[in-house]
């Protein structure tokens, strides 16, 4: 299998897209460090993986916005698994609102989780990847980071920031055998998008050439491709997975 003997960290693996990514990488042989904020969700993902392959996954509960806690978790994962081959920075939140009324608390929460959290986790594993002269870092951005989106100044800025971070890390780490890419999902069915009312959902659907919302597995397939050995010459790229919404 493509990820035999490899270890993948997936943040935000407790639910939605992150869970789909963790299950997919595990199904292809990877051992998984499942990370999310709540103990319950991250543990349930790890349990689901372990039910099919004993001891293939471990759960870690950490707030990715807490830099020192992330460094500790990274060290724990390295101690538990011995190596990290793949880091998927997927944990993310929204706190939508028009810019005129957006609180700085909502701004900070989104930037700190979506952008700072990804940088923190990359820092936590970078040294070991450099030492082993191989690694894959995949950041889950969003089409909102490419186009902007009214009511999502904080979110779009965090996701655009992730693209800048992706390209910079790609340049810094390419000579060490590490690739860094981003996946930009369009509208994917999950708890995050479930909160939108039917009218908004229909307006979005009307803008998708394929006429369908995506599923977590669609993003997981793109992540698995970028994480796989055959993608070794692809770095600093943004792969949009959105049914044609942005092209
Ligand atoms: P989701 O269903 O809301 O799941 C988010 C996951 O992130 C949860 O497991 C959550 O942990 C975790 N998380 C949130 N804040 C965290 C923090 N501070 N520390 C650690 N973990 C944290 O969201 P989703 O739709 O799967 O989205 C996953 C990623 O895809 C996000 O980065 C999102 O921005 C991006 N994305 C989604 C869509 C979409 O249409 N759904 C589109 C574009 C991009 P708990 O389980 O513990 O709460």
């Amino acid at each position: 299998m493509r990820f035999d003997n490899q270890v993948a960290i997936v943040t935000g693996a407790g639910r939605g897209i992150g869970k789909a990514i963790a299950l997919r990488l595990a199904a292809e042989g990877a051992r998984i460090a499942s990370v999310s904020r709540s103990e319950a969700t991250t543990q349930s993902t790890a349990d689901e993986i372990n039910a099919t392959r004993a001891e293939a996954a471990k759960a870690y509960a950490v707030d990715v916005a807490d830099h020192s806690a992330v460094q500790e978790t990274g060290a724990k994962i390295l101690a538990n698994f011995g190596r990290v081959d793949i880091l998927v920075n997927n944990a993310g939140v929204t706190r939508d609102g028009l810019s005129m009324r957006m609180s700085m608390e909502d701004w900070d929460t989104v930037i700190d989780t979506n952008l700072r959290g990804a940088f923190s986790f990359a820092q936590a594993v970078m040294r070991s990847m450099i030492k082993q002269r191989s690694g894959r870092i995949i950041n889950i951005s969003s089409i909102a980071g490419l186009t902007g989106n009214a009511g999502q100044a904080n979110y779009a800025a965090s996701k655009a920031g992730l693209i800048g971070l992706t390209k910079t890390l790609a340049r810094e780490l390419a000579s060490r055998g590490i690739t860094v890419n981003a996946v930009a999902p369009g509208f994917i069915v999950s708890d995050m998008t479930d909160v939108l009312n039917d009218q908004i959902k229909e307006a979005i659907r009307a803008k998708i050439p394929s006429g369908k919302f995506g599923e977590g597995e669609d993003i997981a397939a793109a992540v698995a491709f970028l994480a796989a050995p055959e993608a070794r010459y692809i770095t600093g790229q943004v792969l949009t997975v959105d049914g044609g919404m942005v092209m």
Side-chain angles (χ1 to χ4, degrees):
M1 288 197 281
R2 286 199 290 187
F3 304 120
D4 270 349
N5 303 317
Q6 294 202 23
V7 175
I9 299 176
V10 182
T11 72
R15 293 181 281 129
I17 294 171
K19 182 169 186 175
I21 293 168
L23 296 179
R24 171 71 188 253
L25 296 178
E28 294 202 49
R31 285 185 295 148
I32 305 291
S34 167
V35 174
S36 78
R37 207 173 15 187
S38 85
E39 185 76 48
T41 63
T42 187
Q43 190 60 53
S44 82
T45 298
D47 288 347
E48 200 169 322
I49 293 167
N50 288 332
T52 58
R53 190 156 43 101
E55 294 187 31
K58 272 189 196 304
Y60 303 84
V62 64
D63 178 354
V64 297
D66 181 341
H67 180 72
S68 54
V70 168
Q71 302 315 297
E72 275 170 32
T73 304
K76 236 188 256 170
I77 293 169
L78 278 163
N80 290 340
F81 287 95
R83 58 185 294 121
V84 172
D85 300 282
I86 301 162
L87 167 65
V88 185
N89 281 311
N90 163 83
V93 289
T94 52
R95 293 284 186 280
D96 296 353
L98 289 174
S99 297
M100 210 164 63
R101 286 193 291 268
M102 183 175 286
S103 70
M104 289 317 288
E105 194 188 340
D106 283 349
W107 173 270
D108 288 343
T109 299
V110 171
I111 300 289
D112 288 355
T113 305
N114 300 8
L115 182 55
R116 192 173 190 268
F119 182 63
S120 278
F121 247 109
Q123 269 201 331
V125 302
M126 212 179 276
R127 200 178 297 275
S128 78
M129 285 183 176
I130 289 171
K131 252 199 215 149
Q132 75 199 15
R133 298 192 84 78
S134 69
R136 295 279 195 270
I137 299 175
I138 298 159
N139 297 317
I140 306 301
S141 177
S142 166
I143 56 167
L146 295 168
T147 65
N149 195 24
Q152 289 198 309
N154 48 2
Y155 184 78
S158 74
K159 295 300 185 177
L162 273 178
I163 293 172
L165 174 64
T166 297
K167 293 181 180 184
T168 300
L169 292 180
R171 287 183 188 277
E172 288 184 3
L173 300 173
S175 65
R176 314 303 174 95
I178 300 163
T179 70
V180 188
N181 291 288
V183 173
F187 188 106
I188 308 300
V189 177
S190 76
D191 292 346
M192 184 179 275
T193 46
D194 224 29
V195 296
L196 301 173
N197 69 39
D198 287 347
Q199 204 182 346
I200 295 177
K201 281 187 191 159
E202 275 324 301
I204 294 170
R205 196 198 300 272
K207 291 191 193 136
I208 304 174
S210 74
K212 287 187 219 131
F213 296 145
E215 297 187 4
E217 290 72 20
D218 297 315
I219 306 307
V223 168
F225 164 65
L226 291 169
E230 60 262 35
R232 67 186 179 189
Y233 202 54
I234 301 173
T235 197
Q237 301 305 304
V238 183
L239 177 53
T240 301
V241 182
D242 67 349
M245 204 172 170
V246 173
M247 55 172 107

